Amino acid sequence: MRLTKTMRWTALAACTALAISACTTGSDKKSSEAGGASGKKGGSISVESGEPQHGLVPQNTAESEGAQVLATLFAGLVEYDRKDNSPQLRAAESIESADSTTWTIKLKDGYTFHNGEKLVAQNFVDAWNYGANQDNAQEALPFFDKILGSDELAPGKDKKPSAKELKGLKVVDDRTFTVTLKAPFSQFKTMLGYTAFYPLPKAFFTDPKAFEDAPIGNGPFQMDGKWEHNKQIKVKRYENFPAADGKAKLDSVTFKIYDKLETAYNDLRADNIQITNKLPVSAMASVAQEFGDRYIYKPESGIGYLGFPISTNPAFAKPEIRKAISMAIDREAITRTIFSGTRKPADDFVSPIIPGYRQGALGDAAKYNPAKAKELFQQAGGLPGNTMEIGYNADGGHKEWIEAVGNQLKNNLGVDVTFKPFEKFGAILTALGEHKYSGAFRVAWQMDYPSIENYLRPIFSKIAIDNGSNYGGYVNEDFESLLARADSAKTDAEGIKLYQQADDVLIKELPYIPVYTYMLSAAYTKDVKNVVVDAQNRIDFANVELA
């Protein structure tokens, strides 16, 4: 997470995968996203969801479950094109910069919050100032680090902020504000579609705690009552949303919260819910045949990792130990046998759908070689007591592949591997964040925005340790320096090369082990149509219709 979540760490299930290999799930029929003639007007549907980790505040939502709900409730400055992931204007009328340092953002007219409050530039400035202030302990804090004045609002642990606002934010008029960065950053416009940059109404600052269960957004849906924890979150169409920007077609959507994907899938098959974008392993052999064109299978942005708490557990401190573990994992067998070919072995820290990805970048570390793995493992001194524990979230369908990895490590390295299931995804993130769990752990990352930088800084930078998603506590000054140089590159091409050099540092040290990349696997019933899922595995509920 972060989370950030920013991407967000995701509760990606065993079959929301993102590989680029051919689907071998029992049908040669090409699956696609729903389309066709206009469906029935209005109506209500129910969909699968997990329990969000935190209250539904955009600046504190870095995981996939909360982000999906907020994507229905808010309209950001930009959204991402479904074909090439390029940023497209949404609530913004224009976002311009002559030097990639000072940006002028002008808002469209006509947007309002669900309480009737008009959307103005100050709403964005207030929201970003709140997220950037470390006293507010928001998970998205690292995303504001590039804005001038962020050091004063987030001076670091055991220090107090010396300012209340970011010097780099200035309101020009109700529809215009400027953003001055510390240094040029050509990816800034791309970032602005991320949850952290959503606006907040004045009502938030009156009662932030109440907002967590009943957020007030500016998007196509509004809350329908309060979040019923561990049960459901209901939203309904916001009638005053600008029609030109996609007024919702459905009357309402209920996010039903499940602990087990098998239960959700059975409910889908029984028409008790209409859509799920997470499928259990048990469904993969037959889902394509059963759902036909209502099964969506396409590349998505997630990467699944085996992580290590480097800063809190000396057993995993040596890169050689981590590389040996990586070489002892048979990625091909796991993706073929456990995931029925719906995932692809990872070979980079960057998703294959992102510019800057390099096929085979992980080199020998990603090649299954039990003999060399054991030799390297023994030369590095092995693990204390020759034991290892792996934690994972039990609500995401990960038991099978984690246990498969454990068996491979036992057979190839002679390590006694045990497992610790956490009931919910948020629970393992909290335990890691509070340094209450020191075993190896399963995590996955979905992009917050389509940039190679988003696969590096939010997970492995220093700033992401206390205020982000660096749960391993990894620190490397060469990595930090390369990120800074890449941020200030004058061209995208130059920036990508420098980000790749930062990626090379990770490849050498393996703070996490990339195991597989995801294919998006979703399914829906005959009751609905126009189901579109983006590369961040978020469903575009505004355009879903009853069939």
Side-chain angles (χ1 to χ4, degrees):
M1 197 187 22
R2 93 108 175 26
L3 229 65
T4 81
K5 157 125 225 26
T6 124
M7 139 111 32
R8 162 181 11 269
W9 287 117
T10 175
L12 284 169
C15 216
T16 36
L18 142 236
I20 300 199
S21 56
C23 179
T24 59
T25 54
S27 175
D28 292 329
K29 189 173 184 179
K30 184 179 179 181
S31 60
S32 62
E33 295 180 88
S38 179
K40 300 176 184 177
K41 293 183 179 180
S44 301
I45 65 170
S46 295
V47 301
E48 180 276 334
S49 178
E51 177 82 351
Q53 183 187 13
H54 299 307
L56 295 171
V57 177
Q59 288 68 34
N60 201 35
T61 298
E63 41 70 42
S64 54
E65 309 303 324
Q68 172 66 88
V69 176
L70 290 177
T72 70
L73 299 174
F74 286 83
L77 292 167
V78 303
E79 58 185 354
Y80 302 116
D81 183 87
R82 297 290 186 259
K83 293 182 179 180
D84 63 7
N85 291 314
S86 62
Q88 306 294 317
L89 297 175
R90 194 175 191 195
E93 182 177 286
S94 61
I95 302 174
E96 298 177 347
S97 178
D99 58 5
S100 293
T101 300
T102 299
W103 298 76
T104 299
I105 300 174
K106 192 171 184 64
L107 305 180
K108 293 177 182 176
D109 198 11
Y111 276 87
T112 58
F113 286 99
H114 302 148
N115 61 356
E117 182 183 329
K118 184 177 180 180
L119 178 69
V120 295
Q122 191 69 50
N123 298 126
F124 287 94
V125 170
D126 288 345
W128 299 5
N129 281 327
Y130 183 84
N133 191 321
Q134 69 179 33
D135 283 350
N136 297 323
Q138 300 296 284
E139 296 224 9
L141 184 146
F143 287 94
F144 304 104
D145 180 60
K146 294 178 174 62
I147 300 175
L148 187 66
S150 62
D151 295 336
E152 286 84 351
L153 264 69
K157 191 175 182 180
D158 300 325
K159 297 179 181 179
K160 296 294 293 182
S162 59
K164 294 183 178 180
E165 299 178 344
L166 292 162
K167 290 186 294 188
L169 298 182
K170 301 292 182 184
V171 173
V172 177
D173 56 44
D174 276 357
R175 292 179 55 197
T176 311
F177 67 106
T178 61
V179 185
T180 302
L181 308 181
K182 298 175 186 175
F185 183 53
S186 60
Q187 303 296 301
F188 184 66
K189 179 179 178 180
T190 301
M191 287 180 68
L192 295 180
Y194 178 54
T195 310
F197 297 99
Y198 289 167
L200 289 173
K202 292 179 181 178
F204 168 80
F205 299 95
T206 301
D207 193 346
K209 190 64 179 175
F211 193 95
E212 292 183 358
D213 284 345
I216 301 167
N218 67 315
F221 289 90
Q222 65 183 97
M223 289 292 291
D224 186 7
K226 294 182 179 181
W227 170 7
E228 300 176 57
H229 289 271
N230 298 303
K231 182 180 179 181
Q232 64 184 16
I233 299 171
K234 298 183 69 175
V235 300
K236 61 184 179 181
R237 181 173 57 240
Y238 179 50
E239 299 297 347
N240 292 328
F241 190 76
D245 287 342
K247 183 175 291 188
K249 297 176 174 61
L250 292 169
D251 291 330
S252 65
V253 177
T254 297
F255 295 89
K256 294 186 65 175
I257 296 170
Y258 291 88
D259 289 333
K260 297 184 181 299
L261 293 179
E262 287 80 4
T263 304
Y265 186 60
N266 287 336
D267 274 358
L268 181 79
R269 300 177 72 191
D271 292 327
N272 293 325
I273 62 174
Q274 282 68 55
I275 308 173
T276 180
N277 57 354
K278 294 186 291 292
L279 295 170
V281 172
S282 58
M284 296 320 299
S286 60
V287 61
Q289 182 174 357
E290 181 171 355
F291 283 85
D293 286 343
R294 292 177 286 108
Y295 171 51
I296 300 172
Y297 178 83
K298 68 176 186 177
E300 190 240 292
S301 66
I303 298 180
Y305 303 99
L306 185 64
F308 302 97
I310 296 171
S311 64
T312 59
N313 190 341
F316 298 116
K318 294 181 180 180
E320 294 83 4
I321 292 291
R322 303 192 293 269
K323 184 174 181 179
I325 292 173
S326 180
M327 295 172 67
I329 297 174
D330 189 345
R331 292 165 174 78
E332 288 283 355
I334 288 172
T335 55
R336 182 182 65 253
T337 305
I338 303 297
F339 296 115
S340 300
T342 60
R343 296 191 186 183
K344 182 179 180 180
D347 57 2
D348 195 356
F349 277 86
V350 181
S351 166
I353 71 171
I354 299 298
Y357 158 79
R358 295 167 294 169
Q359 186 175 1
L362 280 173
D364 290 342
K367 295 178 181 177
Y368 180 55
N369 193 326
K372 286 189 177 181
K374 189 170 186 177
E375 180 182 358
L376 181 61
F377 187 71
Q378 292 175 339
Q379 289 175 351
L383 293 173
N386 209 32
T387 62
M388 174 180 173
E389 184 177 80
I390 305 177
Y392 66 94
N393 57 301
D395 62 344
H398 300 289
K399 181 177 185 290
E400 293 88 350
W401 82 265
I402 286 295
E403 291 188 352
V405 166
N407 288 332
Q408 291 175 358
L409 298 182
K410 180 179 181 179
N411 294 333
N412 297 329
L413 301 180
V415 177
D416 183 14
V417 181
T418 57
F419 309 98
K420 182 175 177 60
F422 288 76
E423 183 179 1
K424 296 181 182 299
F425 183 54
I428 188 171
L429 295 183
T430 299
L432 289 167
E434 295 178 352
H435 298 160
K436 294 181 178 179
Y437 183 67
S438 58
F441 51 91
R442 169 268 160 196
V443 286
W445 184 257
Q446 272 179 327
M447 69 179 182
D448 303 307
Y449 48 90
S451 168
I452 181 175
E453 180 265 349
N454 191 234
Y455 287 82
L456 307 176
R457 176 175 284 106
I459 319 175
F460 302 109
S461 69
K462 286 192 295 185
I463 193 173
I465 294 176
D466 292 327
N467 297 285
S469 302
N470 188 349
Y471 289 108
Y474 174 73
V475 176
N476 183 287
E477 295 301 332
D478 289 339
F479 177 75
E480 299 290 332
S481 176
L482 286 164
L483 287 182
R485 289 172 58 195
D487 288 348
S488 300
K490 295 180 180 179
T491 67
D492 284 346
E494 179 186 351
I496 286 176
K497 288 183 179 180
L498 289 166
Y499 286 127
Q500 287 174 334
Q501 291 179 35
D503 184 27
D504 287 337
V505 174
L506 301 180
I507 290 169
K508 180 179 179 181
E509 298 207 329
L510 293 174
Y512 287 179
I513 293 173
V515 179
Y516 52 74
T517 56
Y518 282 83
M519 286 297 292
L520 187 155
S521 294
Y524 55 94
T525 70
K526 295 178 180 179
D527 296 331
V528 292
K529 62 186 304 181
N530 295 336
V531 179
V532 176
V533 189
D534 66 17
Q536 293 165 284
N537 200 25
R538 298 182 307 187
I539 299 167
D540 180 9
F541 284 109
N543 286 308
V544 174
E545 299 178 81
L546 294 184

